[in-house]
């Protein structure tokens, strides 16, 4: 039994071992199957990689081709660039030449400007002067560039007093206080050798990006203009003398005949002589008016303003024209406000204004008409002179021309009225010179009203042109 | 009988000088006339006058120069300027020489001139 048992147990062991082996074999087989499967997968992957590699190889081949093409293209581009460069270089050269030409042309233009020219930087230091500057002021470019214009070239006013640094227009322009200096303010420039000449100038800022970076001054020697001015004044003197001398002869001799200095004249003869005398008188008036016009235009009138009683002046003008007023049976109604202050005006000129306005009102109003003259104060303390009439009026379509020199309206030319077309021109010039205004309202065949305002403020004293020439 | 006053007319325009002469003689003055400034000065150095009627624009020596020479020679005869110049500056220049009367011939009747002379010499 025991043996049996032993055999059983031995065979059992073998069976067990066999079973284990079988199991191991099975496991190994399974593993092999797995490995085989894995191998198969790897083979597939390999195939896929191979294929990919093949694709990459193809792609590489394509890239190589592209590279070659690019290289070729680059070669062409390089050639083109070289060509363009050559052209460009030529163009630049040509352009540079052009620019140089333009520059030298511009420089030549600046240099040749007949007026003195100076360019300064924002500190007022000279950066450029032209030839006229050199000639007029006696300074050479190399001596003066970089120096302060205001310091090197002094200015004197008309009284010979040096203009201070602060008052120099150049200083003011650079400081942005003033934008263009006017030409109406002549002065003297002092040359290097300390001599001087009369000049007028324009100074303007050089503005870059809204900032003042310097200034340009252009100036002119006005010696010639002053000489012309003097010549004009002398011409008027001479003309007035030449025209008035024969008029004086006719005046005096007809007067002497009329007063019977060489024997009695008949009443018929007297009438004729009066015609001669009156005709001549008109000519005298015309010459006087023409002289006034030329004096106003040339500024040879010496305006000497002083406190003037305008009401008194008006009354005396009325007295002066009483004869004409009465002759036409015109009803004159003066109306002068009380307490009109003294006006600061030149009485001689103010008188001319009133004379012109009153004589016009009388002249252009038919017989038995009405003329009003009034003087009052407005709210702004201006003196207002008002002259109204019930006369012919000024045609609407000619109202804008009525202050034009020598203009006479159609509706009065036809009537037998004397007139030169100068009175209103003179009156307006005088009133405006005094800082006032002159205007009118008019309806044809109803009448006209002229208004003149005169400020009570200061009137600038103005010197006549002859005095001007002695400066 | 009072001694008549002597007036010198210096005026180059002969017709005007003649008219003035006639009028003044008629008013009882003694009158001499010359036609330029030079002759005027020459005469003034020899004779004395109560009044000079002086034109301004004249040949040889003009009226302004006459005034200057008179001042230089200290001849103090009163002067009435009779001229056809009327610019403010002409008036001013003569006033600076102490001229009291400035008459514009074309604007003044000859009777008025005689009146002014009479008034001046009264």
């Amino acid at each position: 039994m025991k043996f049996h048992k032993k055999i059983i147990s031995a065979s059992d062991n073998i069976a067990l071992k066999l079973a284990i082996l079988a199991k191991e074999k099975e496991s190994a087989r399974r593993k092999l199957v797995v490995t085989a499967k894995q191998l198969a997968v790897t083979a597939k992957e390999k195939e896929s990689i191979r294929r990919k590699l093949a694709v990459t190889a193809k792609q590489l081949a394509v890239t190589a081709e592209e590279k070659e093409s690019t290289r070729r293209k680059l070669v062409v581009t390089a050639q083109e660039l070289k060509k363009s460069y050559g052209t460009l270089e030529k163009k630049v050269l040509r352009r540079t030449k052009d620019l140089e030409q333009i520059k030298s042309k511009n420089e030549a233009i600046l240099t040749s400007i007949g007026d003195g020219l100076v360019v300064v930087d924002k500190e007022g230091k000279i950066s450029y002067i032209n030839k006229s500057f050199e000639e007029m002021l006696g300074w050479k470019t190399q001596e003066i560039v970089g120096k302060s214009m205001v310091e090197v070239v002094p200015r004197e006013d008309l009284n010979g007093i040096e203009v201070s640094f602060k008052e120099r227009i150049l200083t003011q322009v650079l400081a942005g206080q003033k934008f263009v200096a006017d030409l109406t303010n002549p002065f003297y420039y002092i040359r290097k050798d300390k001599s001087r000449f009369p000049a007028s100038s324009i100074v303007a800022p050089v503005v870059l990006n809204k900032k003042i970076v310097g200034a340009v001054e252009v100036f002119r020697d006005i010696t010639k203009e002053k000489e012309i001015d003097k010549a004009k004044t002398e011409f008027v003197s001479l003309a007035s003398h030449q025209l008035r001398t024969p008029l004086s002869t006719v005046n005096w001799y007809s007067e002497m005949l009329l007063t019977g200095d060489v024997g009695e004249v008949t009443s018929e003869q007297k009438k004729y002589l009066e015609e001669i005398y009156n005709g001549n008188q008109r000519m005298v008036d015309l010459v006087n008016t023409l002289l006034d016009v030329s004096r106003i235009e040339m500024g040879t009138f010496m305006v000497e303003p002083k406190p003037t009683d305008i009401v008194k002046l008006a009354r005396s003008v009325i007295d002066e024209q009483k004869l004409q007023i009465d002759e036409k049976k015109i009803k004159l109604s003066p109306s002068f406000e009380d307490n009109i202050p003294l006006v600061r005006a030149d009485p001689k000129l103010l008188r001319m204004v009133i004379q012109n306005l009153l004589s016009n009102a009388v002249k252009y109003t038919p017989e038995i008409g009405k003329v009003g003259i009034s003087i009052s104060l407005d709210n702004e303390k201006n003196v207002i002179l008002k002259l109204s009439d019930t006369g012919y009026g000024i045609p609407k379509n000619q109202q804008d021309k009525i202050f034009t020199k020598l203009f006479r309206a159609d509706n009065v030319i036809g009537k037998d009225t004397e007139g030169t077309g100068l009175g209103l021109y003179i009156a307006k010039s005088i009133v405006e010179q005094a800082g006032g205004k002159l205007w009118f309202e008019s309806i044809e065949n109803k009448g006209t009203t002229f208004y003149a305002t005169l400020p009570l403020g200061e009137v600038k004293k103005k010197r006549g042109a002859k005095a001007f020439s002695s400066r | 009988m009072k001694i008549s006053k002597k007036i010198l007319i210096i005026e180059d325009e002969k017709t005007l000088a003649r008219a003035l002469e006639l009028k003044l003689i008629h008013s009882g003055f003694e009158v001499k006339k010359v036609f330029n400034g030079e002759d005027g000065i020459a005469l003034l150095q020899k004779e004395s006058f109560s009044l000079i009627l002086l034109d301004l624009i004249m040949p040889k020596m003009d009226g302004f120069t006459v005034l200057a020479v008179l001042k230089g020679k200290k001849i103090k005869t009163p002067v009435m300027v009779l001229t056809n110049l009327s610019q403010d500056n002409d008036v001013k220049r003569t006033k600076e020489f102490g001229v009291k009367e400035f008459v514009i011939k074309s604007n003044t009747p000859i009777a008025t001139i005689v009146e002014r002379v009479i008034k001046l010499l009264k």
Side-chain angles (χ1 to χ4, degrees):
Chain A
M1 199 62 189
K2 215 178 178 184
F3 178 70
H4 187 244
K5 268 192 182 177
K6 265 187 187 172
I7 289 169
I8 288 171
S9 79
S11 70
D12 276 358
N13 270 339
I14 290 164
L16 203 62
K17 276 179 188 168
L18 279 173
I20 289 166
L21 271 173
K23 258 185 200 174
E24 278 173 1
K25 263 188 191 170
E26 180 58 20
S27 151
R29 194 194 56 84
R30 272 184 201 157
K31 275 179 192 166
L32 277 172
V33 169
V34 170
T35 309
K37 270 184 195 164
Q38 279 171 346
L39 278 172
V41 169
T42 311
K44 256 185 209 168
E45 275 172 3
K46 266 191 186 162
E47 176 57 21
S48 143
I49 288 168
R50 196 196 55 81
R51 277 188 199 145
K52 277 182 193 162
L53 279 173
V55 169
T56 309
K58 266 185 203 163
Q59 279 171 348
L60 278 173
V62 170
T63 311
E65 248 168 52
E66 275 172 359
K67 264 193 186 160
E68 176 58 20
S69 138
T70 308
R71 196 194 58 80
R72 280 196 200 134
K73 276 185 193 157
L74 278 172
V75 169
V76 171
T77 310
Q79 273 169 354
E80 272 169 7
L81 272 174
K82 210 174 172 187
K83 222 157 98 190
S84 299
Y85 181 75
T87 322
L88 202 65
E89 210 169 38
K90 263 186 219 158
K91 274 190 186 163
V92 167
L93 270 174
R94 207 183 311 140
R95 189 86 187 106
T96 310
K97 225 180 196 176
D98 285 354
L99 281 173
E100 260 165 20
Q101 243 169 21
I102 292 169
K103 196 181 166 226
S104 50
K105 202 173 157 192
N106 282 344
E107 249 169 38
I109 290 171
L110 282 182
T111 304
S112 327
I113 288 175
D115 290 349
L117 179 90
V118 53
V119 182
V120 299
D121 64 13
K122 64 176 191 293
E123 268 92 44
K125 298 219 164 70
I126 296 170
S127 57
Y128 179 82
I129 60 168
N130 72 345
K131 218 166 99 196
S132 301
F133 181 111
E134 291 185 336
E135 285 165 4
M136 279 193 240
L137 286 162
W139 287 98
K140 290 270 164 235
T141 297
Q142 58 271 25
E143 300 171 319
I144 206 168
V145 163
K147 288 184 181 159
S148 158
M149 170 70 188
V150 173
E151 278 164 26
V152 179
V153 187
R155 257 190 200 204
E156 278 179 7
D157 66 14
L158 298 180
N159 302 316
I161 295 160
E162 194 174 325
V163 181
S164 73
F165 184 83
K166 256 173 90 181
E167 284 173 330
R168 282 287 285 266
I169 295 156
L170 196 66
T171 314
Q172 293 173 352
V173 166
L174 285 173
Q177 292 163 347
K178 216 175 202 177
F179 273 87
V180 176
D182 64 327
L183 281 168
T184 56
N185 219 349
F187 54 90
Y188 286 106
Y189 255 149
I190 313 298
R191 296 190 184 94
K192 191 186 174 188
D193 65 5
K194 308 277 176 234
S195 63
R196 59 182 201 170
F197 65 91
S200 76
S201 80
I202 294 186
V203 184
V206 177
V207 180
L208 210 68
N209 296 328
K210 293 180 184 168
K211 268 189 184 161
I212 296 173
V213 296
V216 184
E217 174 174 347
V218 180
F219 58 92
R220 225 150 35 91
D221 185 333
I222 56 165
T223 310
K224 273 233 173 68
E225 270 114 315
K226 281 180 69 183
E227 278 166 8
I228 292 168
D229 229 40
K230 208 176 147 211
K232 276 200 286 187
T233 312
E234 280 166 7
F235 170 77
V236 174
S237 274
L238 203 71
S240 73
H241 183 258
Q242 303 297 19
L243 291 169
R244 278 167 160 175
T245 300
L247 293 173
S248 316
T249 313
V250 177
N251 249 0
W252 289 3
Y253 279 87
S254 52
E255 186 193 334
M256 281 156 77
L257 282 173
L258 277 166
T259 49
D261 281 20
V262 280
E264 280 299 308
V265 284
T266 67
S267 66
E268 195 72 0
Q269 288 166 337
K270 203 172 171 183
K271 259 192 218 160
Y272 283 23
L273 282 170
E274 270 165 0
E275 290 293 347
I276 295 172
Y277 187 80
N278 292 336
N280 193 59
Q281 208 54 53
R282 271 181 72 175
M283 191 69 122
V284 169
D285 290 343
L286 178 62
V287 168
N288 287 343
T289 312
L290 283 172
L291 287 173
D292 286 341
V293 169
S294 54
R295 282 193 286 180
I296 284 172
E297 288 183 347
M298 296 192 307
T300 51
F301 255 132
M302 270 189 261
V303 181
E304 285 166 304
K306 48 184 157 201
T308 303
D309 184 344
I310 183 170
V311 173
K312 201 172 152 195
L313 214 56
R315 286 191 206 281
S316 104
V317 173
I318 292 170
D319 282 346
E320 196 181 83
Q321 299 187 12
K322 204 167 181 340
L323 201 72
Q324 289 88 322
I325 295 167
D326 291 347
E327 242 172 31
K328 287 183 87 173
K329 301 185 189 78
I330 279 168
K331 188 177 181 293
L332 180 82
S333 26
S335 146
F336 305 128
E337 221 170 72
D338 290 334
N339 307 321
I340 296 284
L342 297 181
V343 184
R344 214 177 144 66
D346 186 316
K348 170 187 74 200
L349 297 178
L350 190 52
R351 187 185 187 88
M352 273 168 77
V353 173
I354 305 172
Q355 276 172 337
N356 273 315
L357 295 178
L358 181 61
S359 69
N360 275 353
V362 173
K363 209 189 309 182
Y364 301 124
T365 299
E367 284 196 7
I368 330 177
K370 285 179 200 156
V371 170
I373 175 169
S374 74
I375 294 170
S376 56
L377 275 183
D378 72 0
N379 296 333
E380 283 149 27
K381 296 237 167 170
N382 291 311
V383 172
I384 299 185
L385 168 70
K386 185 174 149 191
L387 262 140
S388 56
D389 65 53
T390 57
Y392 309 125
I394 304 160
K396 192 134 195 106
N397 63 345
Q398 296 188 324
Q399 293 192 349
D400 57 334
K401 299 192 194 96
I402 206 71
F403 292 112
T404 311
K405 190 166 48 173
L406 296 170
F407 179 81
R408 297 194 69 213
D410 288 340
N411 62 333
V412 297
I413 292 181
K415 299 195 168 69
D416 187 23
T417 49
E418 299 168 17
T420 57
L422 292 169
L424 285 177
Y425 171 76
I426 291 175
K428 194 171 167 76
S429 304
I430 293 172
V431 170
E432 285 178 356
Q433 239 171 30
K437 280 186 204 142
L438 181 66
W439 74 97
F440 65 91
E441 288 160 3
S442 181
I443 298 170
E444 207 174 348
N445 295 320
K446 284 251 163 92
T448 306
T449 304
F450 273 92
Y451 301 87
T453 58
L454 290 161
L456 286 174
E458 198 81 359
V459 175
K460 258 194 178 169
K461 189 166 175 150
K462 191 166 168 278
R463 295 159 84 195
K466 277 238 167 158
F468 185 80
S469 67
S470 65
R471 71 186 181 201
Chain B
M1 201 182 117
K2 67 174 185 180
I3 306 151
S4 75
K5 303 241 168 128
K6 220 163 77 180
I7 298 172
L8 173 62
I9 299 168
I10 310 178
E11 161 73 76
D12 66 322
E13 200 62 42
K14 294 194 169 89
T15 51
L16 294 182
R18 170 105 186 106
L20 284 169
E21 185 189 24
L22 285 172
K23 273 288 190 187
L24 290 170
I25 290 173
H26 190 75
S27 301
F29 295 103
E30 190 184 326
V31 179
K32 284 209 170 170
K33 60 180 196 295
V34 291
F35 305 126
N36 65 66
E38 240 172 52
D39 293 351
I41 294 290
L43 197 56
L44 278 160
Q45 281 175 306
K46 282 187 274 175
E47 293 179 37
S48 69
F49 290 86
S50 315
L51 179 70
I52 304 165
L53 300 187
L54 179 67
D55 188 16
L56 288 179
I57 305 286
M58 288 182 292
K60 286 190 186 170
M61 186 192 281
D62 68 16
F64 294 113
T65 316
V66 170
L67 288 170
V69 173
L70 289 181
K71 196 181 172 192
K73 293 190 185 298
K74 296 200 167 115
I75 297 172
K76 287 182 177 148
T77 314
V79 177
M80 177 190 279
V81 166
L82 281 179
T83 180
N84 274 323
L85 296 183
S86 62
Q87 301 216 61
D88 295 330
N89 207 60
D90 298 322
V91 181
K92 208 175 139 207
R93 268 174 82 191
T94 61
K95 277 194 178 151
E96 279 162 9
F97 284 111
V99 170
K100 293 256 159 27
E101 293 268 345
F102 190 100
V103 177
I104 296 164
K105 288 181 277 193
S106 69
N107 295 357
T108 317
I110 197 161
T112 310
I113 295 171
V114 175
E115 276 167 32
R116 289 209 198 170
V117 169
I118 292 169
K119 209 172 148 195
L120 256 175
L121 293 180
K122 207 159 66 180

